[in-house]
Amino acid sequence: MIEVKDLVKSYGGHKAVRGISFTVESGKIYGFLGPNGAGKSTTMNIICGTLASTSGSVTINGHDIYAEPIEAKKCIGYLPEIPPLYTDMTPAEYLDFVGRAKGLRGAELAEQIEEVMELTDIANVRSRLIKNLSKGYKQRVGIAQAMLGDPEIIILDEPTVGLDPIQIIEIRELIRSLGKKHTVILSSHILTEISEVCDHVIIISHGKIVANDKLSDLEEKYTSDGVLELQLKCSAKEMETLAESLAKLAEDCETFVEKDGTCRIMLKYLRANDIRSAVYSQVCKSGITMLAMIPHEKTLEDIFLSLTSDDAVADETVDEKNDVADAASADEDTDSNKDDGDDYKPLFG
Amino acid sequence: MSSVYRKELRSYFCNMQGAVFAGFLLLITGIMSSLYNFKGLYPSFESSLAETGFIFLLIVPVLTMKILAEERHQRTDQLLYSLPLKVSAVVLGKYLALLTVFLVPVAIMSFYPLILSMYGEVSLVSAYSTIVGFVLMGGALLAIGMFISSVTESQVIAAVLTFGSMLAIYLMSAISNLIPATAQGTLGAFSVCCVLAGLIVWVMTKDVWVGATAGIVLEAITVFCYFNFTESFAGLFAKVLDKLSVFDRFYLFATGMFDLSAVVYYLSVIVFCLFLCVQSVEKKRYS
């Protein structure tokens, strides 16, 4: 449906996008994930034809965006990062303009405007000036604009930025419903959004794709190991003996003594091999009181952090696959960092 | 194209901008007409229209400053690029809307000669041909203003640049008289133009060497011409400026001449500026 090949965009000396290639199949919701400045918006702008790439090609339904821009753009509805609204118009007038520009006329135009207004829930503000609308409504007018003309592909660049939590939930709901009829590409740096809404995730960092997979596959691929945390009520010495016996079960074992006198053991294990019951019986045997056993699984957040960390992309001369491998090995570092702190506060989401 | 045209037109007339523009133009022509035609009892509407020509210095910047600069400033240009519209259609739609806003007061003005004719003998043919000239000149100046609006993101800069250009165009024949009609004077004037052209190329390409090369090549051609055709070089600069003068050609209409070459000239200015405008908008996508 969309085929992006070796896209490169440089601004003067700075390369914002360095050779991105991917394909988009119909009927799915794609998530474009990456930290700020990773090249998400640039890539989307190039796909939609609002920016020219330095090299590389974009083909939409067989139409090259440069050779046949009109045909290609007819297949796309685009909401840029800053909703492109004429603030001195009302939503009705604005949608009328966009609809006409997309080639709709007469009854069809009126019908579609009603339909998208209904879907985005802006019918009640149709005759107020856009400049007087709240950020949430402006965003919705932007989405309504992208939906007009019933394009096969809808591309939304950070559609939930600056909205309140209720609006965010509503917009996500809307995007999910869009996904039933259209192919949706959604960019965000908010992980929960991507994991809630998208089927497929493309992670971009420093202008390169570092992961491109189904959400479920991605989780499986990068969360093969987990960490089991044991909180114990015992002396340090007792803990050491216990840890020795437990180390045989796990891949890796670390011990900590807490300030309040309790002890903590972190066991790293492969998820394919569940060690919980074995650990439990070992602890029981030793006669130590176990206060808690907490399995820590890697979330999309950890995957994201490890893939987009500077270590992962530092080795830029290596090709993409190696980059991913590097990132996987860098996981361990982030993991141990995470374990050092008691309360792991998510950085994103 | 029609969608952009409708949108622009709506924005001009919903924002008072169009109404204020029309009112202002009518006010000035009204004052001129009542001074010359009614108070001065002079039956030629074309001379009062000729006196109104300076009005373009003020109204063109006001009308064109936001037309493309504002789109870039508000990032709505992204919408226009992502819609299935050609850039040329967008530019043409906007220009036609501009022209329409200009034509509304001109249409009202067209009744003046008829009103005058109720009180005496009025040469309607020459009055209306002057109105045609007025429209053509306005169209050309609006096209220049629109091009200037396309090169910047700020309405204020667009307005100032447009006003400066309009002033330069207005004073063009006065400037041409300042330049000595000798071959050396012409050489000097052309050399200044070559340096300016080099600077403009430098600014546009952001490459010193390209700018310098362009300047030097142009200067070399000028010097070559100077040494080989010294006689015809004398007074050439003034002649070129006179030929390019937008206002002088309009004054010709007011003297009762319908100059076809002026029509062609104005139309070519319009086409050239719109072409530049399309290029300048296209260029934004590549930078």
Side-chain angles (χ1 to χ4, degrees), chain B residues 171-180 237-239 241-242:
Chain B
L171 297 175
M172 206 180 248
S173 46
I175 293 170
S176 75
N177 291 334
L178 286 177
I179 309 225
F237 192 74
K239 265 186 218 156
L241 280 193
D242 275 340

Side-chain angles (χ1 to χ4, degrees), chain B residues 71-91:
Chain B
E71 297 268 4
R72 283 180 67 203
H73 185 69
Q74 298 279 355
R75 304 291 188 94
T76 42
D77 56 344
Q78 290 205 328
L79 173 71
L80 294 178
Y81 297 151
S82 70
L83 289 173
L85 296 170
K86 282 190 184 135
V87 174
S88 52
V90 172
V91 168

Side-chain angles (χ1 to χ4, degrees), chain B residues 21 25 53 56 59-60 63-64 95 98-99 102 106 131-145 166 246-247 250 266 269-270:
Chain B
F21 165 84
L25 190 58
F56 285 110
I59 58 175
V60 171
L63 214 53
T64 60
Y95 180 69
L98 214 52
L99 216 53
F102 172 55
V106 171
I131 289 178
V132 170
F134 191 71
V135 168
L136 284 170
M137 176 169 75
L141 294 173
L142 287 173
I144 295 171
M166 292 301 132
V246 177
F247 281 89
F250 166 62
Y266 285 136
V269 170
I270 293 170

Side-chain angles (χ1 to χ4, degrees), chain A residues 45 49-52 70 73-74 80 82 84-86 88-89 93-94 96-97 100-102 105 145, chain B residues 2-4 6-7 10-11 15 66 71 75-76 78-86 285-287:
Chain A
N45 277 335
T50 66
L51 198 68
I70 304 293
K73 284 172 189 175
K74 273 186 182 156
I82 300 163
L85 304 172
Y86 294 104
D88 52 2
M89 283 182 169
E93 288 170 347
Y94 176 73
D96 180 74
F97 160 63
R100 279 173 192 278
K102 288 187 178 183
R105 292 288 182 279
Q145 164 271 119
Chain B
S2 64
S3 53
V4 178
R6 283 172 61 113
K7 183 216 113 201
R10 180 150 51 192
S11 116
N15 269 345
K66 74 160 202 176
E71 297 268 4
R75 304 291 188 94
T76 42
Q78 290 205 328
L79 173 71
L80 294 178
Y81 297 151
S82 70
L83 289 173
L85 296 170
K86 282 190 184 135
R285 289 169 55 207
Y286 286 87
S287 54

Side-chain angles (χ1 to χ4, degrees), chain B residues 11 40 60 79 111 116 118-119 199 201 243 245 259 286:
Chain B
S11 116
V60 171
L79 173 71
F111 289 105
L116 282 180
M118 287 162 66
Y119 302 99
L199 281 174
V201 173
K243 286 274 176 223
S245 172
D259 184 4
Y286 286 87

Side-chain angles (χ1 to χ4, degrees), chain A residues 151-169:
Chain A
E152 289 166 66
I153 305 156
I154 292 180
I155 299 184
L156 307 169
D157 196 353
E158 309 212 345
T160 56
V161 165
L163 303 184
D164 70 39
I166 296 169
Q167 290 170 331
I168 290 180
I169 291 167

Side-chain angles (χ1 to χ4, degrees), chain A residues 171-187:
Chain A
I171 295 276
R172 275 183 204 162
E173 209 56 55
L174 176 64
I175 294 168
R176 226 172 284 152
S177 68
L178 282 180
K180 286 174 195 146
K181 261 178 81 188
H182 310 260
T183 306
V184 181
I185 305 181
L186 172 78
S187 93

